[in-house]
């Protein structure tokens, strides 16, 4: 399970019926109801300052740039980690950004989403970040959260959660919002959901290619010119169908994971992405990585893409106009993945991190499996692999045979 950790933007509620012993034949449901804490946007933007003392209570997406690892704490902000010595990573600062789930970095500028908006933050001095620009409405699907529309001059900075028990049939009247859209979960449940330039993981919804920042928001793909890094300027925006989820750039192509298939876009004209090929699959969330000849796509169940399958698809993409399936492999609950030579590093949820030799696409071979909870995403840089999982941030040395040697682990306590 993954970010948005602790709180959700979209929720599916499955009834848990409780029979009351005090009133015969009375049937009730007990929910946790989320009511937003709202603040003035101007005050929130003015409070974007670094704190050296805030440690993460949750892991999120990671981005690597130079000696720094940037890890978002879903919905709360961005942690900056000095990784000059991977054996002893040091947390340098935390920048509070409510509603943040994706990050990217170019030069000294950190890009972070804040609900619907895109922020450009100067991090020349990590302990003295300076907000340079706010680009409004880059992520339009997030105007509506848990049954609430928020005024453009306001920001949700948190949620007050309380248990609420209602009689079956009375939910529409008893629960704020429309129906039960702001029900986090039924009592006793657990709901979690989970981005020169640096490097993002395969779960990212925001990526940088040279002087352009690409981002997806449900059905919307945005292109921003960042040739002047502190002054992102929107150059294009287009609707490309529903449920766009992840972005992975490779040369002059952009591989887009969506709930219904893998989309391949040509970005040789960076301002005007052009759809070149589609590989359709059953509805599921699907991060993707590629080497230009094959694409590796993970499909998973138990999420808000309404997926019911857990598998790895290997797709031939040599002809981007006509990608086709090579073979499917069953998995436990696959998430992010990374590729290094002939080895694929796959995060398989609570089944841990798996290393496959993919030399033969029709007969991949498991080389190693590291057991851990909630393996989520990886970034590979040279011979260093960074893994974010439910319990913390792990770093490994990549060995010649594809296996991993642990360098360090930073454990969080949620």
């Amino acid at each position: 399970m993954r970010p948005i950790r602790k709180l959700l933007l979209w929720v599916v509620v499955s009834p848990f019926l409780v029979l009351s012993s005090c009133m015969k034949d009375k049937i009730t449901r007990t929910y946790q109801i989320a009511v937003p804490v709202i603040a003035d946007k101007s005050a929130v933007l003015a409070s974007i300052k670094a704190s050296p003392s805030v440690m993460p209570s949750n892991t999120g997406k990671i981005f690597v740039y130079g000696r720094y690892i940037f890890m978002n704490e879903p919905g709360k902000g961005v942690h900056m980690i000095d990784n000059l010595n991977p054996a002893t990573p040091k947390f340098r600062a935390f920048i509070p950004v409510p509603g943040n789930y994706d990050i990217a970095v170019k030069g000294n500028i950190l890009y972070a989403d804040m609900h619907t908006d895109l922020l450009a933050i100067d991090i020349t001095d990590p302990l003295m970040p300076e907000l340079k620009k706010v680009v409004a409405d880059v992520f339009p699907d997030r105007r509506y959260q848990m049954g609430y529309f928020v005024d453009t001059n306001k920001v949700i900075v948190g949620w007050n959660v309380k248990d609420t028990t209602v009689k079956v049939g009375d939910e529409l009247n008893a629960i704020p919002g429309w129906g039960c859209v702001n029900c986090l979960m039924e009592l006793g449940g657990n709901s979690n959901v989970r981005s020169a330039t640096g490097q993002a993981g395969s779960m990212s919804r925001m990526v940088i290619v040279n002087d352009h920042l690409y981002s997806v928001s449900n059905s919307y793909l945005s292109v921003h010119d960042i040739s002047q890094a502190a002054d992102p300027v929107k150059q294009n925006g287009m609707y490309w169908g529903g449920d766009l989820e992840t972005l992975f750039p490779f040369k002059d192509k952009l591989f887009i994971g969506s709930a219904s298939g893998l989309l391949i876009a040509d970005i040789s004209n960076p301002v005007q992405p052009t759809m070149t090929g589609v590989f359709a699959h059953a509805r599921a969330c699907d991060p993707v990585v590629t080497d230009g000849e094959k694409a590796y796509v993970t499909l998973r169940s138990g999420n808000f893409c309404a997926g019911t399958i857990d598998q790895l698809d290997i797709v031939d993409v040599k002809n981007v106009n006509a990608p086709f399936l090579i073979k499917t492999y069953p998995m436990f609950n696959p998430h992010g993945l990374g590729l290094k030579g002939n080895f694929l590093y796959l995060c398989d949820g609570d089944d841990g991190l798996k290393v496959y030799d993919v030399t033969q696409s029709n007969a991949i071979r498991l080389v190693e499996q590291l057991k851990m909870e909630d393996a989520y995403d990886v970034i590979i840089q040279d011979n260093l692999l960074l893994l974010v999982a439910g319990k913390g941030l792990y770093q490994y040395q990549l060995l010649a045979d594809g296996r991993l040697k642990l360098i360090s682990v930073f454990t969080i306590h949620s």
Side-chain angles (χ1 to χ4, degrees), residues 106-390:
K106 181 186 180 185
N108 294 321
I109 300 298
L110 166 69
Y111 303 99
D113 60 321
M114 186 180 79
H115 295 296
T116 59
D117 299 342
L118 174 69
L119 309 186
I121 303 171
D122 191 319
I123 52 171
T124 302
D125 181 349
L127 297 179
M128 295 289 289
E130 180 182 356
L131 179 64
K132 288 295 187 179
K133 188 172 183 178
V134 179
V135 185
D137 214 27
V138 175
F139 308 97
D141 64 300
R142 290 166 62 182
R143 298 173 189 147
Y144 179 75
Q145 298 190 37
M146 294 192 195
Y148 294 92
F149 282 100
V150 181
D151 185 274
T152 55
N153 295 319
K154 304 290 184 180
V155 172
I156 296 175
V157 295
W159 297 86
N160 287 327
V161 180
K162 64 178 181 178
D163 297 340
T164 300
T165 300
V166 297
K167 183 179 178 180
V168 171
D170 290 345
E171 294 96 327
L172 291 178
N173 297 323
I175 298 173
W178 182 81
C180 194
V181 290
N182 65 327
C183 298
L184 286 182
M185 63 202 85
E186 296 208 32
L187 191 61
N190 180 27
S191 297
N192 298 315
V193 187
R194 298 259 211 210
S195 116
T197 63
Q199 184 175 346
S202 65
M203 301 293 285
S204 181
R205 296 166 63 90
M206 182 190 303
V207 297
I208 295 173
V209 181
N210 300 320
D211 287 334
H212 290 86
L213 175 72
Y214 298 88
S215 61
V216 290
S217 174
N218 195 8
S219 60
Y220 195 66
L221 172 67
S222 296
V223 185
H224 285 78
D225 183 328
I226 54 171
S227 55
Q228 300 297 318
D231 184 27
V233 176
K234 185 175 180 178
Q235 289 191 308
N236 205 348
M238 58 205 74
Y239 287 94
W240 270 11
D243 301 318
L244 305 180
E245 297 162 351
T246 61
L247 296 171
F248 187 87
F250 184 81
K251 296 183 178 179
D252 63 348
K253 300 295 186 291
L254 196 60
F255 289 75
I256 306 172
S258 80
S260 57
L262 166 65
L263 314 180
I264 305 174
D266 187 305
I267 54 172
S268 52
N269 178 354
V271 179
Q272 188 64 51
T274 304
M275 187 88 71
T276 60
V278 177
F279 169 71
H281 56 61
R283 187 171 179 83
C285 291
D286 69 337
V288 56
V289 297
T290 184
D291 61 5
E293 295 190 356
K294 302 181 187 71
Y296 300 85
V297 184
T298 60
L299 311 181
R300 70 182 184 277
S301 64
N303 51 65
F304 295 97
C305 301
T308 58
I309 55 178
D310 294 282
Q311 65 191 43
L312 167 69
D313 284 351
I314 303 181
V315 182
D316 189 307
V317 294
K318 288 191 289 293
N319 180 356
V320 294
N321 299 305
F324 64 88
L325 180 68
I326 298 174
K327 190 167 182 178
T328 292
Y329 294 89
M331 294 290 159
F332 179 76
N333 190 232
H335 287 66
L337 62 173
L339 188 63
K340 175 76 170 180
N342 292 325
F343 298 102
L344 181 71
Y345 299 83
L346 187 149
C347 298
D348 205 4
D350 286 341
D351 211 25
L353 178 66
K354 297 176 179 177
V355 183
Y356 289 96
D357 184 331
V358 293
T359 305
Q360 301 296 325
S361 299
N362 283 300
I364 66 173
R365 177 176 61 88
L366 182 64
V367 174
E368 186 176 21
Q369 180 174 0
L370 304 179
K371 287 289 189 177
M372 65 186 64
E373 293 181 15
D374 200 11
Y376 177 62
D377 201 9
V378 296
I379 289 179
I380 298 172
Q381 282 203 325
D382 298 323
N383 291 318
L384 179 69
L385 181 143
L386 293 92
L387 164 70
V388 63

